[in-house]
């Protein structure tokens, strides 16, 4: 019997086995490539999760007017000289826990170019069934720190606290005002009506600036008309024992309710020459 056909068959089998190994290697490489793409997509998804704390769908929007003196009595001509405060109360009237979002939109000069801090990112909060929260002037100021690594220290701000919710809410603003050296002299309460606006809201970055990090700017700038001939008080003393600059001394601040001569402890002071 001739062995040629048998040898031919064996050679064919060898060729087939080699081809199968090549195909197997090809599919392994293809699988690795696909796995790499999957890892890349996972990393992208994780980055998105890190960037935004949550994405929520909302149906209702509320725009509550805010007027806040944060550093000095307001005196740039827009409002009468005095101290202004706003608190916005938000109540969940439903029997379910909900997520809401809020941002701050500054009132800027009509016709001015948009600035980087005119509208803040959204912050989120959870409201328990029949739960309520309050947002005051200092909470509102915190919306501006940090934004793109910058914190804004406002002497005065006004604009709107914009609240978005998946359900109707009870939103009430409380406004108080007084002279520079007196107790509260006026109070007003306003119920904020809703608008039916469907929106998908991305909450602001979950990454917070560490203490001492980030650039800080003053608004209005120091020396502007908002400060007039007064200089902002520099705090000293207190529980942290903040020192005064060279050439100045720390004395009790007469404008607060803490009086060390009456036994009050840890009273913050002010720097004077």
């Amino acid at each position: 019997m001739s062995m040629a056909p048998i040898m031919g068959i064996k050679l064919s089998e060898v060729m087939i086995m080699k081809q199968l190994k090549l195909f197997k290697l090809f599919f392994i490489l293809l699988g690795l490539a696909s796995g790499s793409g999957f890892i890349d997509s996972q990393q992208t998804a994780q980055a998105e999760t890190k960037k935004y704390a949550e994405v929520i769908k909302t149906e209702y929007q509320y725009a509550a007017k805010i007027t806040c003196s944060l550093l000095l009595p307001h005196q740039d001509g827009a409002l009468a000289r005095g101290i202004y405060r706003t608190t916005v109360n938000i109540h969940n009237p439903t029997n379910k826990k909900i997520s809401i979002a809020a941002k701050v939109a500054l009132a800027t000069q009509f016709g001015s170019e948009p600035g980087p801090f005119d509208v803040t990112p959204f912050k989120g909060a959870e409201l328990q069934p029949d739960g309520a929260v309050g947002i005051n002037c200092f909470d509102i100021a915190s919306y501006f720190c940090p934004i793109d690594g910058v914190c804004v220290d406002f002497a005065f701000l006004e604009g709107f606290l914009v609240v978005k919710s998946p359900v109707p809410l009870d939103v009430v603003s409380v406004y108080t005002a007084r002279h520079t050296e007196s107790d509260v002299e006026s109070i007003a309460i306003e119920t904020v009506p809703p608008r039916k606006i469907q929106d998908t809201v991305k909450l602001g970055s979950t990454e917070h600036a560490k203490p001492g990090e980030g650039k800080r700017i003053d608004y209005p700038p120091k020396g502007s008309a908002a400060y007039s001939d007064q200089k902002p008080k520099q705090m000293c003393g207190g529980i942290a024992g903040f020192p005064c600059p060279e050439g100045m001394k720390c004395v009790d601040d007469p404008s607060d309710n803490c009086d060390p001569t009456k036994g009050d402890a840890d009273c913050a002071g002010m720097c004077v020459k």
Side-chain angles (χ1 to χ4, degrees):
M1 180 181 293
S2 174
M3 297 295 293
I6 296 175
M7 291 296 296
I9 293 171
K10 288 184 177 180
L11 286 172
S12 299
E13 290 176 349
V14 170
M15 293 295 292
I16 291 170
M17 292 298 293
K18 287 183 177 180
Q19 289 178 348
L20 288 174
K21 287 182 179 179
L22 287 173
F23 277 118
K24 187 176 181 181
L25 179 61
F26 172 75
F27 282 113
I28 289 173
L29 293 174
L30 182 64
L32 287 174
S34 300
S36 174
F38 176 68
I39 291 171
D40 288 343
S41 65
Q42 274 191 320
Q43 290 173 341
T44 302
Q46 289 172 355
E48 184 71 13
T49 302
K50 288 181 180 179
K51 184 177 180 182
Y52 294 105
E54 192 179 359
V55 177
I56 60 175
K57 292 183 178 180
T58 60
E59 300 280 341
Y60 298 89
Q61 175 177 298
Y62 301 80
K65 175 64 182 176
I66 53 173
T67 307
C68 296
S69 304
L70 295 163
L71 185 60
L72 289 173
H74 186 56
Q75 51 192 22
D76 69 355
L79 294 170
R81 175 178 166 82
I83 302 293
Y84 297 86
R85 291 283 189 269
T86 303
T87 298
V88 180
N89 293 314
I90 304 169
H91 172 244
N92 172 19
T94 73
N95 59 0
K96 295 180 180 179
K97 182 171 72 173
I98 62 170
S99 294
I100 64 171
K103 66 180 179 182
V104 178
L106 287 180
T108 59
Q109 186 175 2
F110 185 78
S112 63
E113 292 292 326
F117 308 108
D118 289 354
V119 181
T120 71
F122 278 100
K123 287 186 178 183
E126 284 191 344
L127 285 179
Q128 299 297 323
D130 203 30
V133 295
I135 302 176
N136 62 40
C137 282
F138 299 99
D139 298 324
I140 291 164
S142 72
Y143 277 69
F144 296 88
C145 184
I147 298 177
D148 295 331
V150 178
C151 292
V152 185
D153 294 325
F154 285 93
F156 179 88
L157 66 84
E158 65 172 322
F160 292 90
L161 179 72
V162 180
V163 180
K164 289 180 175 287
S165 168
V167 300
L169 301 171
D170 301 320
V171 180
V172 177
S173 297
V174 180
Y175 306 98
T176 57
R178 63 177 175 84
H179 285 98
T180 57
E181 301 294 339
S182 65
D183 295 329
V184 62
E185 294 175 322
S186 69
I187 184 170
I189 298 175
E190 178 185 38
T191 299
V192 183
R195 288 188 176 90
K196 192 75 182 294
I197 298 177
Q198 295 183 347
D199 195 9
T200 299
V201 178
K202 290 182 177 181
L203 302 185
S205 173
T206 58
E207 298 178 4
H208 300 288
K210 295 179 182 178
E213 288 187 351
K215 179 182 177 183
R216 303 193 77 92
I217 61 174
D218 295 308
Y219 186 85
K222 297 289 178 63
S224 70
Y227 295 94
S228 187
D229 57 350
Q230 298 188 34
K231 294 183 178 179
K233 291 185 294 186
Q234 181 169 352
M235 188 184 75
C236 59
I239 192 171
F242 292 112
C244 287
E246 187 176 354
M248 302 184 75
K249 63 179 180 179
C250 188
V251 301
D252 180 52
D253 185 351
S255 65
D256 61 24
N257 295 323
C258 191
D259 188 349
T261 63
K262 295 181 179 180
D264 295 335
D266 302 325
C267 296
M270 56 187 291
C271 296
V272 298
K273 290 185 177 181

